[in-house]
Structures are given as structure tokens and as C-alpha cells.
Coordinates of all heavy atoms in Angstrom, one line a residue:
M1 N 251.5 49.3 78.4 CA 251.5 50.6 79.1 C 252.9 50.8 79.8 O 253.4 49.8 80.2 CB 250.3 50.7 80.0 CG 249.7 52.2 79.9 SD 250.3 53.3 81.1 CE 249.5 52.9 82.6
T2 N 253.1 52.0 80.1 CA 254.4 52.3 80.8 C 254.1 53.8 81.4 O 253.2 54.4 81.0 CB 255.6 52.3 80.0 OG1 256.8 52.5 80.8 CG2 255.7 53.3 78.9
Y3 N 255.1 54.2 82.1 CA 255.2 55.6 82.6 C 256.5 56.2 82.0 O 257.4 55.5 81.5 CB 255.3 55.6 84.2 CG 254.0 55.4 84.8 CD1 253.2 54.2 84.7 CD2 253.3 56.4 85.4 CE1 252.0 54.0 85.3 CE2 252.0 56.2 86.1 CZ 251.3 55.0 85.9 OH 250.1 54.9 86.5
V4 N 256.3 57.5 81.8 CA 257.3 58.2 80.9 C 257.7 59.5 81.6 O 257.0 60.3 82.1 CB 256.6 58.7 79.6 CG1 257.5 59.4 78.7 CG2 256.1 57.5 78.9
V5 N 259.0 59.7 81.6 CA 259.7 60.9 82.2 C 259.7 62.0 81.0 O 260.0 61.6 80.0 CB 261.1 60.7 82.7 CG1 261.7 62.0 83.4 CG2 261.1 59.5 83.7
T6 N 259.2 63.1 81.4 CA 259.0 64.2 80.4 C 260.0 65.4 80.6 O 260.6 65.5 81.7 CB 257.6 64.5 80.1 OG1 257.1 65.2 81.3 CG2 256.7 63.3 79.8
E7 N 259.8 66.5 79.9 CA 260.5 67.7 79.8 C 260.8 68.3 81.2 O 261.9 68.8 81.4 CB 259.6 68.8 79.1 CG 260.3 69.9 78.6 CD 261.1 69.7 77.2 OE1 260.8 68.6 76.6 OE2 261.8 70.5 76.8
P8 N 259.9 68.4 82.1 CA 260.2 69.1 83.4 C 261.4 68.5 84.1 O 262.0 69.2 85.0 CB 258.9 69.0 84.1 CG 257.8 69.0 83.2 CD 258.5 67.9 82.1
C9 N 261.7 67.2 83.8 CA 262.9 66.6 84.6 C 264.2 67.2 84.0 O 265.2 67.1 84.8 CB 262.9 65.1 84.2 SG 264.2 64.2 85.1
I10 N 264.2 67.7 82.9 CA 265.5 68.2 82.3 C 266.1 69.4 83.2 O 265.4 70.3 83.6 CB 265.3 68.9 80.9 CG1 264.8 67.6 80.0 CG2 266.5 69.4 80.3 CD1 264.4 68.0 78.6
K11 N 267.4 69.0 83.6 CA 268.1 70.0 84.4 C 267.5 70.1 85.8 O 267.7 71.2 86.5 CB 268.5 71.3 83.8 CG 269.2 71.1 82.5 CD 269.7 72.4 81.9 CE 270.7 72.2 80.7 NZ 271.1 73.2 80.1
Q12 N 266.7 69.0 86.1 CA 266.3 69.1 87.5 C 266.8 67.8 88.3 O 267.5 68.0 89.3 CB 264.6 69.1 87.6 CG 264.0 70.3 86.9 CD 264.4 71.7 87.7 OE1 264.6 71.6 88.9 NE2 264.4 72.7 86.9
K13 N 266.3 66.6 87.8 CA 266.8 65.4 88.2 C 266.8 65.2 89.8 O 267.8 65.0 90.4 CB 268.3 65.1 87.8 CG 268.4 64.7 86.3 CD 269.8 64.4 85.9 CE 270.3 63.1 86.3 NZ 271.7 62.8 85.7
Y14 N 265.5 65.5 90.3 CA 265.5 65.3 91.7 C 265.7 63.8 92.3 O 266.1 63.7 93.4 CB 264.1 65.7 92.2 CG 263.9 67.3 92.1 CD1 263.3 68.0 91.1 CD2 264.4 68.0 93.3 CE1 263.2 69.4 91.2 CE2 264.3 69.5 93.2 CZ 263.7 70.1 92.2 OH 263.5 71.5 92.2
T15 N 265.5 62.9 91.5 CA 265.7 61.5 91.6 C 264.8 60.8 92.8 O 265.1 59.7 93.2 CB 267.2 61.0 91.9 OG1 267.8 61.8 93.2 CG2 268.1 61.5 90.7
D16 N 263.9 61.6 93.3 CA 263.0 61.0 94.3 C 262.1 59.9 93.6 O 261.9 58.9 94.4 CB 261.9 62.0 94.8 CG 262.6 63.3 95.3 OD1 263.0 63.2 96.5 OD2 262.8 64.3 94.7
C17 N 262.0 59.8 92.3 CA 261.3 58.8 91.7 C 261.9 57.5 91.8 O 261.3 56.4 92.0 CB 261.1 59.1 90.2 SG 262.7 59.7 89.4
V18 N 263.3 57.4 91.7 CA 264.1 56.3 91.9 C 263.8 55.5 93.1 O 263.8 54.3 93.2 CB 265.5 56.6 91.7 CG1 266.5 55.5 91.9 CG2 265.8 57.3 90.2
V19 N 263.7 56.3 94.3 CA 263.7 55.8 95.6 C 262.3 54.8 95.6 O 262.5 53.8 96.4 CB 263.7 56.8 96.7 CG1 263.6 56.3 97.9 CG2 264.8 57.7 96.5
V20 N 261.3 55.2 95.1 CA 260.0 54.5 95.4 C 259.8 53.4 94.2 O 258.8 52.5 94.5 CB 258.8 55.5 95.3 CG1 258.9 56.4 96.6 CG2 258.8 56.2 94.0
C21 N 260.5 53.3 93.3 CA 260.5 52.3 92.1 C 260.7 50.9 92.7 O 261.8 50.7 93.1 CB 261.2 52.8 90.9 SG 260.8 51.6 89.7
P22 N 259.8 50.0 92.7 CA 259.9 48.6 93.1 C 260.8 47.8 92.2 O 261.3 46.7 92.6 CB 258.5 48.2 93.2 CG 257.7 49.0 92.3 CD 258.3 50.2 92.2
V23 N 260.9 48.3 91.0 CA 261.8 47.6 90.1 C 262.8 48.6 89.6 O 262.8 49.7 89.8 CB 261.0 47.0 88.9 CG1 260.2 45.8 89.4 CG2 260.1 48.0 88.2
D24 N 263.8 48.1 88.7 CA 264.8 48.9 88.3 C 264.6 49.4 86.9 O 265.2 49.1 86.0 CB 266.1 48.2 88.4 CG 266.6 47.8 89.7 OD1 266.3 48.5 90.7 OD2 267.2 46.8 90.0
C25 N 263.7 50.5 86.8 CA 263.3 51.0 85.5 C 264.1 52.3 85.2 O 264.1 52.7 84.0 CB 261.9 51.5 85.4 SG 260.7 50.8 86.3
F26 N 264.7 52.9 86.0 CA 265.3 54.3 85.8 C 266.7 54.3 85.2 O 267.6 53.6 85.8 CB 265.1 55.2 86.9 CG 263.8 55.7 87.2 CD1 263.0 55.1 88.3 CD2 263.2 56.7 86.6 CE1 261.7 55.5 88.4 CE2 261.9 57.2 86.8 CZ 261.2 56.6 87.8
H27 N 267.0 55.1 84.2 CA 268.2 55.2 83.6 C 268.4 56.8 83.5 O 267.5 57.6 83.5 CB 268.4 54.5 82.3 CG 268.1 52.9 82.3 ND1 269.0 52.1 82.1 CD2 267.0 52.4 82.5 CE1 268.6 51.0 82.3 NE2 267.4 51.0 82.6
E28 N 269.7 57.2 83.5 CA 270.0 58.6 83.4 C 271.1 59.0 82.4 O 272.0 58.3 82.1 CB 270.5 59.0 84.9 CG 271.8 58.5 85.3 CD 272.4 59.1 86.5 OE1 272.0 60.2 86.7 OE2 273.1 58.4 87.3
D29 N 270.9 60.2 81.9 CA 271.9 60.9 81.1 C 272.3 62.1 82.0 O 271.8 62.1 83.0 CB 271.6 61.1 79.6 CG 270.5 62.1 79.5 OD1 270.0 62.9 80.5 OD2 269.9 62.2 78.3
E30 N 273.0 63.0 81.5 CA 273.5 64.1 82.0 C 272.4 65.0 82.5 O 272.4 65.7 83.6 CB 274.5 65.0 81.3 CG 275.9 64.2 81.2 CD 276.9 65.1 80.4 OE1 276.6 66.2 80.2 OE2 277.8 64.5 80.0
E31 N 271.3 65.1 81.9 CA 270.4 66.1 82.1 C 268.9 65.6 82.7 O 268.2 66.3 83.3 CB 270.0 66.9 80.8 CG 271.1 67.7 80.2 CD 270.5 68.7 79.2 OE1 269.6 68.3 78.6 OE2 271.1 69.7 79.1
M32 N 268.6 64.3 82.4 CA 267.4 63.8 82.9 C 267.3 62.3 83.0 O 268.3 61.6 82.6 CB 266.3 64.2 82.0 CG 266.3 63.4 80.6 SD 264.9 64.0 79.5 CE 263.4 63.2 80.3
L33 N 266.2 61.8 83.7 CA 266.1 60.4 83.7 C 265.1 59.9 82.8 O 264.2 60.7 82.2 CB 265.5 60.0 85.1 CG 266.6 59.6 86.2 CD1 267.7 60.7 86.3 CD2 266.0 59.3 87.5
V34 N 265.2 58.6 82.4 CA 264.2 58.0 81.6 C 263.7 56.6 82.2 O 264.4 56.1 83.0 CB 264.7 57.6 80.2 CG1 264.9 59.1 79.4 CG2 265.9 56.9 80.1
I35 N 262.5 56.1 81.8 CA 262.0 54.8 82.2 C 262.1 53.9 81.1 O 261.7 54.1 80.0 CB 260.5 55.0 82.7 CG1 260.6 55.9 84.0 CG2 259.9 53.6 82.9 CD1 259.2 56.4 84.4
D36 N 262.6 52.6 81.5 CA 262.5 51.6 80.6 C 261.2 50.9 80.4 O 260.7 50.3 81.5 CB 263.6 50.4 80.9 CG 263.6 49.3 79.9 OD1 262.8 49.1 79.2 OD2 264.7 48.7 80.0
P37 N 260.5 51.1 79.4 CA 259.0 50.7 79.2 C 258.9 49.1 79.4 O 257.9 48.6 79.8 CB 258.6 51.0 77.9 CG 259.9 51.3 77.2 CD 260.9 51.6 78.1
D38 N 260.0 48.3 79.2 CA 259.9 46.9 79.3 C 260.1 46.3 80.6 O 259.9 45.2 81.0 CB 261.0 46.2 78.4 CG 260.7 46.6 76.9 OD1 259.5 46.6 76.4 OD2 261.7 46.7 76.2
V39 N 260.5 47.3 81.5 CA 260.7 47.1 83.0 C 259.6 47.5 83.9 O 259.3 46.9 84.8 CB 262.1 47.4 83.5 CG1 262.4 47.0 84.9 CG2 263.1 46.8 82.6
C40 N 259.1 48.7 83.5 CA 258.1 49.3 84.4 C 256.8 48.5 84.6 O 256.4 47.9 83.6 CB 257.7 50.7 83.7 SG 256.4 51.6 84.5
I41 N 256.4 48.4 85.8 CA 255.3 47.5 86.1 C 254.0 48.3 86.3 O 253.0 47.8 86.8 CB 255.5 46.5 87.4 CG1 255.8 47.5 88.5 CG2 256.6 45.6 87.1 CD1 255.9 46.7 89.8
D42 N 254.1 49.6 85.9 CA 252.9 50.5 85.9 C 252.3 50.7 87.3 O 251.0 50.7 87.4 CB 251.7 50.0 85.0 CG 252.3 49.7 83.5 OD1 253.3 50.5 83.2 OD2 251.8 48.9 82.9
C43 N 253.1 50.8 88.3 CA 252.5 50.8 89.6 C 252.2 52.3 90.0 O 251.3 52.5 90.8 CB 253.6 50.4 90.7 SG 254.9 51.6 90.9
G44 N 252.7 53.3 89.2 CA 252.3 54.7 89.4 C 252.9 55.3 90.6 O 252.8 56.6 90.8
A45 N 253.7 54.7 91.3 CA 254.3 55.2 92.7 C 255.2 56.4 92.4 O 255.3 57.3 93.2 CB 255.1 54.1 93.3
C46 N 255.9 56.5 91.3 CA 256.9 57.6 91.0 C 256.2 58.9 90.8 O 256.9 60.0 90.9 CB 257.7 57.2 89.9 SG 256.9 56.7 88.4
V47 N 254.9 58.9 90.2 CA 254.2 60.1 89.7 C 254.3 61.2 90.8 O 254.6 62.3 90.7 CB 252.8 59.8 89.3 CG1 252.1 61.0 89.0 CG2 253.0 58.9 88.1
T48 N 253.7 60.7 92.0 CA 253.5 61.9 93.1 C 254.8 62.2 93.8 O 254.8 63.2 94.5 CB 252.6 61.4 94.1 OG1 253.0 60.1 94.5 CG2 251.1 61.2 93.5
E49 N 255.8 61.4 93.4 CA 257.2 61.8 94.2 C 257.8 62.8 93.4 O 258.7 63.4 94.2 CB 258.1 60.4 94.2 CG 257.5 59.3 95.1 CD 257.4 59.7 96.5 OE1 258.3 60.4 97.0 OE2 256.3 59.5 97.0
C50 N 257.6 63.0 92.2 CA 258.5 64.0 91.4 C 257.9 65.5 91.7 O 256.7 65.8 91.5 CB 258.2 63.8 89.9 SG 259.1 64.9 88.9
P51 N 258.8 66.3 92.3 CA 258.4 67.7 92.7 C 258.0 68.5 91.6 O 257.4 69.6 91.8 CB 259.8 68.2 93.4 CG 260.6 67.0 93.7 CD 260.2 66.1 92.6
V52 N 258.4 68.1 90.3 CA 258.1 69.0 89.2 C 257.1 68.3 88.3 O 257.0 68.8 87.1 CB 259.3 69.4 88.5 CG1 260.2 70.4 89.3 CG2 260.2 68.3 88.0
Q53 N 256.5 67.3 88.5 CA 255.5 66.6 87.9 C 255.8 66.2 86.5 O 255.2 66.5 85.4 CB 254.1 67.4 87.7 CG 253.3 67.4 89.1 CD 253.7 68.7 89.9 OE1 253.9 69.7 89.6 NE2 253.9 68.3 91.3
A54 N 257.0 65.6 86.4 CA 257.6 65.2 85.1 C 257.0 63.9 84.6 O 257.3 63.5 83.4 CB 259.1 65.2 85.2
I55 N 256.5 63.0 85.4 CA 256.2 61.6 85.1 C 254.8 61.5 84.8 O 253.9 61.8 85.6 CB 256.6 60.7 86.1 CG1 258.2 60.9 86.4 CG2 256.4 59.2 85.7 CD1 258.7 60.0 87.6
F56 N 254.4 60.8 83.7 CA 253.0 60.6 83.3 C 252.8 59.1 82.8 O 253.6 58.6 82.2 CB 252.7 61.6 82.1 CG 252.8 63.0 82.4 CD1 253.8 63.7 82.3 CD2 251.5 63.7 82.9 CE1 253.9 65.0 82.6 CE2 251.6 65.0 83.2 CZ 252.7 65.7 83.1
P57 N 251.5 58.6 83.0 CA 251.3 57.4 82.3 C 251.3 57.5 80.8 O 251.0 58.8 80.4 CB 249.9 57.1 82.7 CG 249.5 58.0 83.8 CD 250.4 59.1 83.8
E58 N 251.8 56.7 80.0 CA 252.0 56.8 78.7 C 250.9 57.5 77.9 O 251.0 58.5 77.1 CB 252.3 55.7 77.9 CG 252.7 55.5 76.5 CD 253.0 54.2 76.0 OE1 252.8 53.1 76.6 OE2 253.6 54.1 74.8
E59 N 249.7 57.2 78.3 CA 248.5 57.7 77.6 C 248.1 59.2 78.0 O 247.2 59.7 77.3 CB 247.2 56.7 77.7 CG 246.7 56.6 79.1 CD 247.3 55.5 79.8 OE1 248.4 55.2 79.6 OE2 246.6 55.1 80.8
D60 N 248.7 59.6 79.0 CA 248.3 60.9 79.5 C 249.6 61.9 79.3 O 249.4 63.0 79.8 CB 248.1 60.9 81.1 CG 246.8 60.1 81.3 OD1 245.9 59.9 80.4 OD2 246.6 59.7 82.5
V61 N 250.6 61.5 78.7 CA 251.7 62.5 78.3 C 251.2 63.6 77.5 O 250.4 63.4 76.5 CB 252.8 61.8 77.5 CG1 253.9 62.9 77.2 CG2 253.4 60.7 78.4
P62 N 251.4 64.9 78.0 CA 250.8 66.1 77.3 C 251.3 66.1 75.8 O 252.5 65.6 75.5 CB 251.3 67.2 78.0 CG 251.5 66.6 79.4 CD 252.0 65.3 79.3
E63 N 250.5 66.6 74.9 CA 250.8 66.5 73.5 C 252.2 67.1 73.3 O 253.0 66.5 72.4 CB 249.6 67.3 72.7 CG 249.8 67.1 71.2 CD 249.4 65.6 70.8 OE1 248.6 65.0 71.4 OE2 250.1 65.3 69.9
K64 N 252.5 68.2 73.8 CA 253.8 68.8 73.5 C 255.0 68.0 73.9 O 256.1 68.4 73.7 CB 253.8 70.2 74.3 CG 253.7 70.1 75.7 CD 253.5 71.6 76.4 CE 253.3 71.4 77.9 NZ 253.0 72.7 78.4
W65 N 254.8 67.0 74.9 CA 256.0 66.2 75.3 C 256.0 64.8 74.8 O 256.7 63.9 75.4 CB 256.0 66.2 76.8 CG 256.2 67.6 77.5 CD1 256.9 68.6 76.8 CD2 255.8 68.1 78.7 NE1 256.9 69.7 77.6 CE2 256.3 69.5 78.8 CE3 255.1 67.6 79.8 CZ2 256.1 70.2 79.9 CZ3 254.9 68.3 80.8 CH2 255.3 69.7 80.9
K66 N 254.9 64.6 73.8 CA 254.9 63.1 73.5 C 256.2 62.5 72.8 O 256.3 61.1 72.9 CB 253.8 63.0 72.3 CG 252.4 63.2 72.8 CD 251.4 62.0 72.4 CE 250.0 62.2 72.8 NZ 249.8 61.8 74.2
A67 N 257.0 63.3 72.3 CA 258.4 62.7 71.8 C 259.1 62.0 72.9 O 259.9 61.0 72.5 CB 259.1 63.9 71.2
H68 N 258.8 62.3 74.2 CA 259.6 61.7 75.2 C 259.1 60.2 75.5 O 259.9 59.5 76.0 CB 259.2 62.4 76.5 CG 260.2 63.7 76.7 ND1 261.5 63.7 76.9 CD2 259.7 65.0 76.5 CE1 261.8 65.0 76.9 NE2 260.9 65.8 76.6
I69 N 257.9 59.8 74.8 CA 257.5 58.4 74.9 C 258.6 57.5 74.2 O 259.2 56.6 74.7 CB 256.2 58.1 74.3 CG1 255.2 58.9 75.2 CG2 255.9 56.6 74.3 CD1 253.7 59.0 74.5
Q70 N 259.0 58.0 73.0 CA 260.0 57.1 72.3 C 261.4 57.4 72.8 O 262.2 56.5 72.8 CB 259.9 57.6 70.8 CG 260.6 56.6 69.8 CD 260.5 56.9 68.4 OE1 259.7 57.8 68.0 NE2 261.4 56.3 67.5
L71 N 261.7 58.6 73.2 CA 263.0 58.8 73.8 C 263.3 58.0 75.0 O 264.3 57.5 75.2 CB 263.0 60.4 74.2 CG 263.3 61.3 73.0 CD1 263.1 62.8 73.5 CD2 264.7 61.1 72.3
N72 N 262.3 57.8 76.0 CA 262.4 57.1 77.1 C 262.7 55.5 76.7 O 263.6 55.0 77.2 CB 261.2 57.1 78.1 CG 261.1 58.2 79.0 OD1 261.0 58.0 80.2 ND2 261.2 59.4 78.5
A73 N 262.0 55.1 75.7 CA 262.0 53.7 75.3 C 263.4 53.6 74.6 O 264.1 52.5 75.0 CB 261.0 53.4 74.2
E74 N 263.9 54.4 73.8 CA 265.2 54.3 73.2 C 266.4 54.5 74.2 O 267.4 53.7 74.2 CB 265.4 55.2 72.0 CG 264.4 55.0 70.8 CD 264.5 55.9 69.7 OE1 265.2 57.0 69.8 OE2 263.7 55.8 68.8
K75 N 266.4 55.6 74.8 CA 267.5 56.0 75.6 C 267.7 55.0 76.8 O 268.8 54.7 77.3 CB 267.4 57.4 76.2 CG 267.5 58.3 75.1 CD 267.0 59.8 75.5 CE 267.9 60.5 76.4 NZ 267.5 61.9 76.8
S76 N 266.7 54.4 77.3 CA 266.8 53.5 78.5 C 267.5 52.2 78.2 O 268.0 51.6 79.1 CB 265.4 53.2 79.1 OG 264.6 52.5 78.0
K77 N 267.6 51.9 77.0 CA 268.3 50.7 76.6 C 269.9 50.8 76.6 O 270.5 49.8 76.6 CB 267.9 50.3 75.1 CG 266.5 50.0 75.0 CD 266.0 49.0 75.9 CE 264.5 48.7 75.8 NZ 264.0 47.9 76.9
T78 N 270.3 52.0 76.5 CA 271.7 52.2 76.5 C 272.4 53.1 77.7 O 273.4 52.9 78.0 CB 272.2 53.0 75.2 OG1 271.5 54.3 75.1 CG2 271.9 52.2 73.9
L79 N 271.6 53.8 78.2 CA 272.0 54.8 79.4 C 272.2 53.8 80.6 O 271.5 52.8 80.9 CB 271.0 55.7 79.7 CG 270.9 56.9 78.6 CD1 269.8 57.8 79.0 CD2 272.3 57.6 78.5
P80 N 273.1 54.2 81.6 CA 273.3 53.5 82.8 C 272.0 53.6 83.8 O 271.2 54.6 83.8 CB 274.5 54.3 83.4 CG 274.6 55.6 82.7 CD 274.0 55.4 81.4
M81 N 271.9 52.5 84.5 CA 270.8 52.5 85.4 C 271.1 53.4 86.7 O 272.2 53.5 87.0 CB 270.6 51.1 85.9 CG 269.3 50.7 86.6 SD 269.3 48.9 87.1 CE 268.9 48.3 85.5
I82 N 270.0 53.9 87.1 CA 270.2 54.6 88.5 C 269.1 54.0 89.5 O 267.9 53.9 89.2 CB 270.0 56.2 88.3 CG1 269.8 56.9 89.7 CG2 268.8 56.5 87.5 CD1 270.0 58.3 89.7
T83 N 269.6 53.6 90.8 CA 268.8 52.9 91.6 C 268.8 53.7 93.0 O 268.1 53.2 93.9 CB 269.3 51.5 91.8 OG1 270.7 51.5 92.3 CG2 269.1 50.7 90.6
E84 N 269.5 54.7 93.1 CA 269.6 55.4 94.4 C 269.5 57.0 94.1 O 270.0 57.5 93.1 CB 271.0 55.2 95.2 CG 271.0 53.7 95.6 CD 272.3 53.4 96.3 OE1 273.3 54.3 96.3 OE2 272.5 52.3 96.8
K85 N 268.9 57.6 95.1 CA 268.7 59.0 95.1 C 270.1 59.7 95.2 O 271.0 59.3 95.8 CB 268.0 59.6 96.3 CG 267.6 61.0 96.4 CD 266.7 61.4 97.3 CE 266.4 62.9 97.4 NZ 266.1 63.5 96.2
K86 N 270.2 60.8 94.4 CA 271.6 61.6 94.4 C 271.2 63.0 94.4 O 270.0 63.5 94.3 CB 272.5 61.2 93.3 CG 271.9 61.2 91.9 CD 272.9 60.5 91.0 CE 273.3 61.4 89.9 NZ 274.2 60.7 88.9
E87 N 272.2 63.9 94.5 CA 272.0 65.4 94.5 C 271.3 65.8 93.2 O 271.7 65.3 92.1 CB 273.4 66.2 94.5 CG 274.0 66.0 96.0 CD 273.0 66.8 97.0 OE1 272.8 67.9 96.8 OE2 272.7 66.1 97.9
P88 N 270.3 66.7 93.2 CA 269.6 67.2 92.1 C 270.7 67.9 91.2 O 271.6 68.3 91.7 CB 268.6 68.3 92.6 CG 268.4 68.0 94.0 CD 269.7 67.3 94.4
Y89 N 270.3 68.0 90.0 CA 271.1 68.5 88.9 C 271.6 69.9 89.3 O 272.8 70.3 89.1 CB 270.2 68.6 87.6 CG 271.1 69.2 86.4 CD1 271.6 68.4 85.5 CD2 271.1 70.6 86.2 CE1 272.3 68.9 84.5 CE2 271.7 71.1 85.1 CZ 272.4 70.3 84.2 OH 273.1 70.8 83.1
R90 N 270.8 70.8 89.8 CA 271.2 72.2 89.9 C 272.2 72.4 91.0 O 272.9 73.3 91.2 CB 270.0 73.1 90.4 CG 269.3 72.7 91.8 CD 268.2 73.6 92.1 NE 267.7 73.3 93.4 CZ 266.9 72.2 93.8 NH1 266.7 71.3 92.9 NH2 266.6 72.1 95.0
N91 N 272.4 71.3 91.8 CA 273.5 71.5 92.8 C 274.8 70.7 92.4 O 275.7 70.8 93.0 CB 273.0 70.7 94.2 CG 271.9 71.4 94.9 OD1 271.7 72.7 94.6 ND2 271.2 70.8 95.7
C92 N 274.8 70.1 91.1 CA 275.9 69.6 90.7 C 277.0 70.4 90.4 O 276.8 71.6 90.0 CB 275.6 68.7 89.5 SG 274.6 67.3 89.7
Ligands
SF4_101 FE1 258.8 52.3 88.6 FE2 256.3 52.2 89.1 FE3 257.2 54.5 88.2 FE4 257.1 52.3 86.6 S1 255.4 53.4 87.4 S2 258.8 53.6 86.8 S3 257.4 50.6 88.1 S4 257.7 53.5 90.2
F3S102 FE1 263.2 63.9 87.1 FE2 261.3 64.1 88.8 FE3 262.6 61.8 88.9 S1 262.7 65.7 88.2 S2 264.6 62.5 88.4 S3 261.4 62.6 87.3 S4 261.8 63.0 90.7

């Protein structure tokens, strides 16, 4: 099991999720963050931190956003890690 960042994160990137993660699972591209499923310890701490409810346990990802399960797994392997909060996307 893992947790997955989905559609609502796109062009939001609040990055509050990164602050509470006890391990280094988060990676970022220009528009959103993704979680490395091999690093996530399924603690669930990030879920309630996200102001736009973008993070779900893998089995609870809404049907319309299921593609993000594979996207998180793939993109997290090549994108740079993010470990600290930064300005949200809209302020960039
Ligand atoms: Fe990090 Fe826990 Fe969220 Fe996984 S569920 S990304 S370990 S905060
Ligand atoms: Fe994205 Fe929410 Fe984290 S908008 S960066 S998943 S706090």
C-alpha cells in the first residue's frame, strides 16, 4: 500500500504535506508533487495536511484520478526530492 497525490495538487502545490512526512517520499515537478510508493510508510499524516484534499490511500483514490497511482510511482523515480515547505504554485 501507499498514499497517492492526485489531481487537486496540480497548480496548487501547497507543500504542507512535505512538512509532516516522517520519511522522504515526496518529489516534485513544475505543477505537482508525487509520492514514492517504495518509501511511503503509510502513516497517513499527510492526508489531513493538504488544504485541497489531494492525497488518498492507494485503494481510496477516486476512479477519475486512478491514473495518478501509476504516475506517482513512475515520476517519483526521476523527479527531484522535496523535503521542505515552499511557496505554493499560485504565488510563484
Ligand atoms: Fe509520508 Fe506518511 Fe504521507 Fe506516506 S502517508 S507520504 S509516509 S506522510
Ligand atoms: Fe499538493 Fe496538497 Fe501537498 S496541494 S503539495 S498534496 S499539501
Side-chain angles (χ1 to χ4, degrees):
M1 223 269 279
T2 182
Y3 281 65
V4 180
V5 184
T6 66
E7 200 85 7
C9 182
I10 295 174
K11 295 190 175 175
Q12 299 296 333
K13 283 180 78 171
Y14 283 100
T15 68
D16 298 280
C17 51
V18 172
V19 180
V20 298
C21 184
V23 290
D24 295 330
C25 330
F26 285 96
H27 298 253
E28 65 170 333
D29 65 13
E30 286 183 12
E31 293 194 330
M32 72 179 288
L33 266 54
V34 293
I35 291 171
D36 185 338
D38 295 328
V39 178
C40 178
I41 58 170
D42 305 333
C43 72
C46 54
V47 173
T48 52
E49 294 303 310
C50 178
V52 292
Q53 288 88 47
I55 305 175
F56 296 86
E58 184 175 8
E59 68 268 26
D60 292 340
V61 173
E63 194 61 39
K64 59 187 174 182
W65 296 333
K66 286 236 186 277
H68 285 284
I69 297 172
Q70 195 177 349
L71 284 173
N72 275 237
E74 289 177 2
K75 290 164 73 176
S76 62
K77 299 305 180 198
T78 55
L79 291 172
M81 192 180 286
I82 171 169
T83 57
E84 292 180 352
K85 184 170 171 57
K86 57 192 234 181
E87 285 298 304
Y89 181 93
R90 65 184 187 284
N91 291 342
C92 290

